[in-house]
Amino acid sequence: MATVSTGIVGGAGYTAGELLRILLNHPAADVSCIQSSSNNGQPVTSVHKDLIGETDLVFSDIDFDAVDVIFLCMGHGKSAEYLEKNDVPQRVKIIDLSHDFRLKREGNGFVYGLPELNREEIRTAKRIANPGCFATGIQLALLPLASAGLLTKEVHVHAITGSTGAGQSPSGTSHFSWRNSNVSVYKAFQHQHLGEICQSLAQLQGQFEQPLNFIPVRGNHTRGIFASVYTDFEGTVEEARELYQRYYEGHPFVHLSPVNPDLKQVVNTNKALLYLEKHDGKLLILSCTDNLLKGASGQAVQNMNLMFGLNETAGLNLKPVAF
């Protein structure tokens, strides 16, 4: 198996730390360099202390001659700035974890990197826009319905996320004393991930124009997204399960759960668990994902595997926390 040489830009944050953890144990990847402007010259383990004993890497500039792919793990708006200031060679592939290139615009050469939607396009892509964490879980709950043209009424989403979804930089709403034993709603009906979700649904179901009512919630846990999604559905729950099983057949990380799931079944994994119930005329879809893995770094490695012709699951057979 050929080795893929990787570089990470913006190496001090949570997504970069999870990328490192996966790539250091990946059977076909080598971490060549990891850049952090605020930690240049320092050992990577001075920031990512969970990796003590696993790497001797030091934060340094990216050597484009030494890498096959770079992961951009910077804040929103920073990836576009980085690519404007740095002449990345055409042969170096790019996987961007920010919001900068997820929406289709003229001149945007990035493929939207949701494998359960665009797997074949990802295989031949040079540049990937990794989906957002909320967007991943919500889309996985709705793609089978959109593919069958069954999103004919408004969709309701209530989703709670862990504190790591806010990034590593401390803020008033990520401080332990505020977050612990607390929940709050934010960006109701106007979250930034709505654009990419609706874009993907329209890709499968023509001009999807139904309202998508999304209420994001800050949870008092560290990681994981639990989304409750419901919409009108005329069929039976058995018909819905058959539709979902057929859509996700061959997609290794999405699984239908026979029982009502919980977050700990997916935390620390690249899995998504979906669970279906029918209530009167409504189909309820529960979606569980780890915001830092399937919602970010794990999915980025899944995309890397596809781009380089590797086994899609390479490096991603991770055990959930579970207890």
Side-chain angles (χ1 to χ4, degrees):
M1 187 182 293
T3 299
V4 177
S5 182
T6 66
I8 299 173
V9 182
Y14 290 141
T15 57
E18 288 297 85
L19 262 176
L20 268 172
R21 181 171 68 90
I22 297 169
L23 293 173
L24 288 171
N25 294 284
H26 193 290
D30 172 68
V31 183
S32 173
C33 40
I34 175 167
Q35 180 268 345
S36 169
S37 56
S38 58
N39 296 281
N40 192 42
Q42 298 298 313
V44 166
T45 53
S46 67
V47 173
H48 301 295
K49 297 180 176 63
D50 56 316
L51 298 177
I52 289 174
E54 298 186 39
T55 181
D56 295 322
L57 279 167
V58 171
F59 289 110
S60 63
D61 292 333
I62 299 297
D63 180 359
F64 294 122
D65 293 329
V67 297
D68 301 309
V69 59
I70 57 172
F71 296 89
L72 303 182
C73 298
M74 298 173 288
H76 303 311
K78 299 297 183 181
S79 293
E81 287 182 16
Y82 182 85
L83 293 180
E84 287 178 3
K85 294 177 180 178
N86 292 272
D87 186 17
V88 181
Q90 283 295 315
R91 67 164 196 83
V92 176
K93 298 180 181 182
I94 299 171
I95 301 175
D96 177 35
L97 280 75
S98 81
H99 187 268
D100 293 8
F101 302 103
R102 292 173 187 161
L103 299 182
K104 294 178 181 177
R105 298 188 179 94
E106 186 176 351
N108 180 358
F110 283 72
V111 170
Y112 187 68
L114 186 66
E116 294 77 15
L117 177 67
N118 292 324
R119 183 158 62 183
E120 295 311 309
E121 292 85 350
I122 292 167
R123 291 188 196 277
T124 58
K126 295 288 188 182
R127 296 185 170 194
I128 293 292
N130 218 55
C133 53
F134 269 132
T136 295
I138 294 168
Q139 286 176 92
L140 293 177
L142 293 172
L143 292 182
L145 294 174
S147 72
L150 297 176
L151 289 177
T152 59
K153 302 291 184 178
E154 63 182 343
V155 178
H156 299 271
V157 182
H158 180 276
I160 188 166
T161 185
S163 58
T164 52
Q168 189 181 48
S169 298
S171 68
T173 56
S174 62
H175 196 287
F176 177 82
S177 61
W178 185 90
R179 197 93 178 202
N180 186 49
S181 301
N182 200 11
V183 294
S184 66
V185 168
Y186 70 110
K187 298 182 181 178
F189 299 103
Q190 55 185 359
H191 194 276
Q192 65 269 19
H193 290 180
L194 280 168
E196 61 187 282
I197 296 169
C198 292
Q199 175 179 268
S200 296
L201 297 179
Q203 179 179 327
L204 289 178
Q205 191 178 309
Q207 294 300 312
F208 171 76
E209 296 177 348
Q210 298 300 326
L212 184 62
N213 305 299
F214 177 28
I215 307 298
V217 180
R218 301 182 184 97
N220 63 353
H221 57 291
T222 302
R223 57 197 291 172
I225 290 176
F226 194 105
S228 305
V229 183
Y230 64 92
T231 189
D232 286 6
F233 182 75
E234 293 183 358
T236 65
V237 71
E238 290 78 17
E239 290 170 332
R241 289 189 185 116
E242 182 179 346
L243 172 65
Y244 276 68
Q245 286 169 344
R246 186 166 60 248
Y247 186 91
Y248 288 117
E249 184 178 7
H251 289 286
F253 293 110
V254 183
H255 307 280
L256 280 186
S257 173
V259 295
N260 196 326
D262 61 77
L263 269 181
K264 283 191 174 181
Q265 291 174 260
V266 299
V267 169
N268 195 51
T269 79
N270 200 54
K271 290 194 297 187
L273 287 186
L274 302 177
Y275 173 73
L276 309 178
E277 286 184 356
K278 184 75 185 292
H279 295 273
D280 296 325
K282 306 288 185 187
L283 181 67
L284 171 67
I285 311 107
L286 303 182
S287 171
C288 300
T289 53
D290 184 319
N291 57 290
L292 289 179
L293 287 176
K294 184 57 176 165
S297 304
Q299 187 152 243
V301 173
Q302 185 180 355
N303 283 323
M304 181 197 78
N305 290 340
L306 291 169
M307 295 169 80
F308 287 90
L310 305 172
N311 187 316
E312 189 172 351
T313 65
L316 294 170
N317 293 313
L318 305 169
K319 182 191 180 299
V321 173
F323 48 82

